[in-house]
Amino acid sequence: MTRIAIADNDNVIIGLMKQYIMNYQREKNIQFKLYTFNDCTELINSEVKTDLIFIDVEMPGEDAIKAAKQIRKKDKLVKIVCMMSRTEFSISLFAVHPFDVLKKPVKQEKLVSVLDEYSEYSQQQNRSPMVSFRSDTGIIVINTLDVIAFEYIHNRGVMIYMKNKNIEIRASIKEVMKSINSDIFTCPHKSFIVNIKEIRKISDFTIVMSNGLIIPAAQKRYKEIKNLLLTSMSQS
């Protein structure tokens, strides 16, 4: 069960968000455990373990962004959604690694979008890193955490570059992408899938992997991959 906390000094806002979340539960036939807090101190001192926190970073009293940083320091996995009335926010907010930023008053469709994204993220996180593929010698099982990259080499043939060996499997790039955790891997080019954490350099539309493999990056994907790499580095 996903445990959600809402931290806001405005009980009207809290009531509205609770209603949105209950509507979502009924529509999706899932169950959440809800906790509410009216100030930052109450949230920080709580012994409740949460998975997703909606926090008003403009709450009076203790610096709410500082409080969010404290929460992040204690729990590296909790997802924090920052809520605010302003359309511009301080760069210090990035230190919190927010899952999303919502403008107040929060609209139902925006909250639904965050919950959908969190649900998808949770499913990805729960997916085992162990996956199986078909090869010429039979079924093989690999740990995708040990994979550096996948390369399409010929008709329904893909080479898996791993940290300690290379393996050829019978699959398409699309089939491989469906089998693995898309939070860790991305497609810089139609013939390649790369492990973001194994990228060592990216420049001039070229990616250098940890094993020295040089991979082309499609122009339309280049900026997105640079951003994914920066995000991965900030979370390591």
Side-chain angles (χ1 to χ4, degrees):
M1 180 186 296
T2 299
R3 297 154 298 186
I4 299 176
I6 305 170
D8 197 302
N9 63 307
D10 189 334
N11 284 324
V12 174
I13 295 293
I14 287 179
L16 195 59
M17 292 188 65
K18 285 174 67 176
Q19 187 59 55
Y20 292 162
I21 292 171
M22 287 188 286
N23 291 344
Y24 186 89
Q25 287 184 118
R26 286 193 294 269
E27 182 180 337
K28 302 291 184 178
N29 194 29
I30 56 178
Q31 192 68 37
F32 295 135
K33 180 70 174 177
L34 293 178
Y35 304 93
T36 61
F37 304 91
N38 287 121
D39 60 64
C40 296
T41 303
E42 187 181 355
L43 175 63
I44 293 170
N45 293 335
S46 171
E47 296 297 324
V48 171
K49 174 71 175 175
T50 53
D51 305 296
L52 180 63
I53 299 174
F54 292 88
I55 180 172
D56 177 3
V57 294
E58 298 170 329
M59 275 191 290
E62 184 174 346
D63 185 337
I65 295 180
K66 182 180 178 181
K69 288 179 182 178
Q70 287 182 255
I71 294 167
R72 168 62 64 232
K73 188 175 181 179
K74 288 196 302 182
D75 190 339
K76 302 295 185 184
L77 299 179
V78 65
K79 299 304 170 190
I80 300 174
V81 177
C82 298
M83 304 185 295
M84 57 197 307
S85 300
R86 302 191 306 271
T87 54
E88 297 179 358
F89 50 86
S90 168
I91 196 168
S92 62
L93 202 61
F94 287 104
V96 179
H97 301 305
F99 187 69
D100 208 335
V101 178
L102 297 179
K103 186 177 184 302
K104 293 179 63 178
V106 177
K107 295 182 179 179
Q108 182 165 345
E109 59 267 27
K110 295 293 185 181
L111 183 60
V112 166
S113 178
V114 170
L115 294 175
D116 280 342
E117 187 175 354
Y118 179 80
S119 296
E120 184 178 342
Y121 170 84
S122 298
Q123 290 170 10
Q124 290 282 1
Q125 289 298 104
N126 291 332
R127 181 180 292 177
S128 170
M130 308 302 293
V131 296
S132 61
F133 294 107
R134 185 167 56 86
S135 71
D136 288 337
T137 58
I139 302 297
I140 61 167
V141 178
I142 64 166
N143 186 336
T144 54
L145 299 180
D146 292 330
V147 173
I148 296 169
F150 298 86
E151 179 185 6
Y152 177 77
I153 51 176
H154 54 69
N155 187 32
R156 290 196 59 76
V158 170
M159 181 65 72
I160 307 176
Y161 298 96
M162 303 186 71
K163 293 178 180 178
N164 57 352
K165 59 183 175 180
N166 299 335
I167 303 172
E168 184 176 341
I169 61 171
R170 312 300 298 172
S172 68
I173 285 291
K174 285 185 178 181
E175 289 169 340
V176 171
M177 198 64 196
K178 287 180 180 178
S179 302
I180 59 181
N181 189 338
S182 59
D183 286 339
I184 300 174
F185 292 92
T186 188
C187 285
H189 183 278
K190 64 180 181 180
S191 297
F192 291 92
I193 299 171
V194 300
N195 184 335
I196 299 167
K197 295 183 181 297
E198 295 298 324
I199 295 175
R200 293 297 175 263
K201 182 180 179 181
I202 178 168
S203 63
D204 299 325
F205 300 103
T206 300
I207 298 170
V208 180
M209 304 303 295
S210 60
N211 64 346
L213 182 66
I214 298 175
I215 294 172
Q219 186 173 359
K220 63 182 180 181
R221 298 278 292 134
Y222 187 68
K223 184 177 180 180
E224 180 183 347
I225 291 166
K226 286 184 73 173
N227 290 337
L228 287 172
L229 180 58
L230 288 172
T231 301
S232 176
M233 291 171 64
S234 70
Q235 293 176 347
S236 359

